[in-house]
Amino acid sequence: KGFLEIEDIISISKNSTCPTFLDTKKLLGPWCQYVDYIKINNFEYENNKQNIEDNASLLDKIIITQGKNGCVYRDQRFLTQEVPVKDVSGAGDTFISGLVVKYVETNDIKKSIEFAQECTTIVVQKAGVATV
């Protein structure tokens, strides 16, 4: 969440022997080439459109969360259950955490996305930053 410099991210992801996941507010670019998965929300995607078009290799890595509209990964939409939302604080952090936990367990990104959405659906129904 901002404490790593781009050079640190490149070094970690390039030298990693396991999949790397990125959730950043930084503008995406060639520096993301060694990351395996990038989670961004729809607003961040809109801000990065040009960078993504200029670095087409990023397209296969990006998971775009879209709130009640679910998320998109490799042109596949993953729908989510519509629930009464009390607070979206921490929803993105919950998504990336659930994604990584399930991926470590299954090595299946699609199952991991579905699980991450289930986790997020739980926390947005609670007031304040909440846990699953």
Side-chain angles (χ1 to χ4, degrees):
K1 286 297 187 178
F3 67 91
L4 290 177
E5 298 295 325
I6 289 176
E7 294 78 17
D8 298 324
I9 296 168
I10 292 170
S11 177
I12 291 167
S13 58
K14 183 177 183 179
N15 297 312
S16 178
T17 58
C18 64
T20 52
F21 294 78
L22 178 66
D23 180 5
T24 184
K25 305 293 183 221
K26 297 180 190 303
L27 288 177
L28 304 178
W31 63 272
C32 301
Q33 67 182 324
Y34 300 108
V35 173
D36 295 290
Y37 299 102
I38 303 168
K39 179 253 172 230
I40 56 177
N41 63 34
N42 207 49
F43 177 77
E44 294 161 345
Y45 174 74
E46 291 298 325
N47 285 341
N48 274 289
K49 267 189 173 177
Q50 187 62 53
N51 296 344
I52 294 167
E53 289 172 9
D54 291 345
N55 298 281
S57 65
L58 298 179
L59 282 175
D60 286 341
K61 302 171 184 227
I62 295 179
I63 301 166
I64 308 164
T65 58
Q66 300 180 321
K68 68 179 182 178
N69 296 318
C71 66
V72 176
Y73 172 66
R74 293 189 175 178
D75 292 325
Q76 181 177 352
R77 178 163 301 281
F78 293 80
L79 298 175
T80 190
Q81 177 186 357
E82 192 164 337
V83 296
V85 175
K86 288 188 178 175
D87 197 333
V88 297
S89 299
D93 293 331
T94 298
F95 184 93
I96 192 71
S97 299
L99 183 76
V100 172
V101 164
K102 194 59 150 183
Y103 191 86
V104 167
E105 181 182 305
T106 66
N107 199 34
D108 184 321
I109 194 62
K110 292 181 180 181
K111 285 181 183 175
S112 302
I113 290 170
E114 291 167 353
F115 180 74
Q117 289 190 148
E118 289 173 22
C119 294
T120 304
T121 298
I122 293 168
V123 300
V124 298
Q125 295 179 74
K126 300 176 182 183
V129 177
T131 61
V132 177

